[in-house]
Amino acid sequence: MSEQQSQRPEGKPWVMGIHAYVPGKAKAADGRRLIKLSANENPLGTSEAALAARAQAAGPASYPDPESNELRTAIGALHGIDPARIVCGTGSDELLNLAAQGFAGPGDEVLFSRFSFAVYDIAARRCGATPVEATDKDYATDVDALLGAVTERTRVVFVANPNNPTGTYLPRGEIQRLHAGLPSNVLLVIDQAYAEYVVPGEDDDGLALAAAHDNVLVTRTFSKIYGLAGERVGWATGAPHLIDVLHRIRGPFNVTASGQAAALAALGDQDFVERSRTHNATELARFTASIQALGNHGLRPIPSSANFLLVLFEGDLTAERALDAIAEAGYAVRHLPGQGLPQALRITIGKREDMDAITNVLRGLVGESA
């Protein structure tokens, strides 16, 4: 047998450089099931209308509408977008990967901020492009650092707004400044997975930018405030030529029939969205204040516009010790050493009793009484 015949197929070097995405845990080290505050899911669950529509869609396992036409029409009606400028995906994750794949490749660069969504690095490497991290500004996206990192090889810039895992937010003026500073041949992808949690009237105007310019793509998801993480439904909007590229390379039947039905019904239940936003705003403010009250023990919350809080442990109490104690109390939260945050925990905003329980654990660890 020749040397060539004995060789096995090997993954491309850029693929072998990928560290697979690590989802939030739901079990303790001893196998106990924990209350999951590690994946930024909606603690209020899912709209009853969406659940009913999903159940009704269960039937013959035939192919779904390959273009999600009814869902795209409803998204367009809610947001004032031509449905022809919308593409649906298997969560927004698929669309983020397709944005990199469609517009970057070997020899190109994909740019994003340090402490941003882990999928950006994966998306860049998946298509053979080089991931480039710009420096942050106290855990927030720094527009000047991003613009300073642009080179002639830059093809795609990812910005999560609000950002995951830090919760930080760029106001519309900063998003507009970032776009204005980019070359016209660079695609700006604004990942708005948590946009529905932003205070109404304070949105970053990403949808307007995507409507007005040829190099802006906005992605959104039904996994967060709509409570449909298990159905994997997302969407993106941008100029027709951008949408055409994503359509060419997306999966042909990428959104299931049940996912389309549930998302369509979820869009029609904006009362549920408002209740979820109000609950989050109330509990996020309470929990943030509780962490701030422990500041003399080295705990620091990063201001968040999303449905989670990044808590820094900068004193004697370590994030690892807090993680273990929180798990012992029955809760899973997110520790992110793989993203350069060994000193932090990302804690999803749950129900009131959940946040009080975690606050009490942390108070007990630093010797504070309730």
Side-chain angles (χ1 to χ4, degrees):
M1 183 179 291
S2 70
E3 181 181 351
Q4 183 175 2
Q5 289 174 318
S6 66
Q7 290 178 343
R8 65 183 186 181
E10 297 288 351
K12 291 293 187 182
W14 53 82
V15 173
M16 302 313 293
I18 293 174
H19 296 284
Y21 182 80
V22 179
K25 294 181 179 180
K27 292 183 178 180
D30 59 8
R32 287 180 300 118
R33 184 161 291 280
L34 305 174
I35 295 173
K36 192 178 177 185
L37 299 182
S38 58
N40 301 338
E41 294 164 306
N42 189 335
L44 303 188
T46 310
S47 158
E48 290 294 332
L51 292 175
R54 183 179 67 170
Q56 188 173 358
S62 54
Y63 285 117
D65 174 4
E67 296 183 350
S68 303
N69 283 298
E70 194 173 359
L71 178 57
R72 289 190 299 114
T73 297
I75 292 169
L78 180 64
H79 295 286
I81 304 170
D82 180 354
R85 295 172 66 107
I86 297 171
V87 58
C88 292
T90 309
S92 55
D93 286 0
E94 180 192 21
L95 300 166
L96 296 169
N97 276 283
L98 294 180
Q101 183 182 345
F103 298 94
D108 298 330
E109 294 177 346
V110 172
L111 176 62
F112 46 88
S113 179
R114 183 166 55 185
F115 308 131
S116 56
F117 191 29
V119 163
Y120 304 154
D121 182 273
I122 294 172
R125 296 178 190 274
R126 236 179 116 177
C127 65
T130 301
V132 177
E133 277 190 354
T135 57
D136 64 293
K137 182 185 292 183
D138 193 24
Y139 300 93
T141 301
D142 186 337
V143 169
D144 291 315
L146 281 172
L147 291 175
V150 172
T151 72
E152 62 182 15
R153 296 170 58 195
T154 304
R155 293 293 174 267
V156 179
V157 177
F158 284 116
V159 175
N161 206 38
N163 185 50
N164 175 22
T166 65
T168 54
Y169 188 67
L170 288 177
R172 64 175 63 108
E174 285 295 275
I175 290 290
Q176 290 168 348
R177 186 166 73 87
L178 172 61
H179 175 256
L182 292 175
S184 60
N185 67 333
V186 172
L187 176 65
L188 173 61
V189 181
I190 307 173
D191 176 359
Q192 294 185 339
Y194 300 91
E196 289 85 2
Y197 286 108
V198 175
V199 176
E202 294 184 6
D203 65 280
D204 62 15
D205 245 8
L207 293 178
L209 279 177
H213 298 278
D214 287 338
N215 66 334
V216 179
L217 187 75
V218 171
T219 64
R220 289 203 179 186
T221 183
F222 285 89
S223 295
K224 302 307 177 185
I225 206 167
Y226 286 105
L228 288 170
E231 289 295 335
R232 312 307 303 127
V233 187
W235 60 278
T237 185
H241 71 282
L242 301 180
I243 299 304
D244 175 63
V245 170
L246 299 194
H247 271 304
R248 289 171 184 266
I249 56 178
R250 67 174 175 83
F253 297 97
N254 55 345
V255 183
T256 65
S258 62
Q260 291 183 41
L264 184 63
L267 282 175
D269 191 356
Q270 290 298 310
D271 286 344
F272 175 80
V273 172
E274 184 56 38
R275 288 198 307 274
S276 298
R277 180 166 44 237
T278 299
H279 169 86
N280 183 74
T282 300
E283 294 308 315
L284 175 61
R286 287 181 65 244
F287 188 55
T288 301
S290 297
I291 300 302
Q292 288 172 331
L294 300 177
N296 58 324
H297 297 285
L299 277 67
R300 177 162 73 101
I302 299 299
S304 175
S305 293
N307 69 333
F308 57 84
L309 188 70
L310 189 74
V311 180
L312 303 179
F313 293 81
E314 300 175 326
D316 293 335
L317 176 61
T318 65
E320 291 87 349
R321 187 177 166 213
L323 179 72
D324 291 342
I326 290 170
E328 186 62 30
Y331 293 90
V333 298
R334 193 72 181 269
H335 189 211
L336 295 163
Q339 287 185 250
L341 293 165
Q343 78 286 23
L345 296 179
R346 192 195 70 188
I347 303 173
T348 302
I349 301 303
K351 297 177 181 177
R352 173 168 286 229
E353 58 267 29
D354 300 330
M355 308 321 296
D356 288 344
I358 291 175
T359 297
N360 288 335
V361 169
L362 296 174
R363 284 174 176 163
L365 288 172
V366 298
E368 290 273 353
S369 58

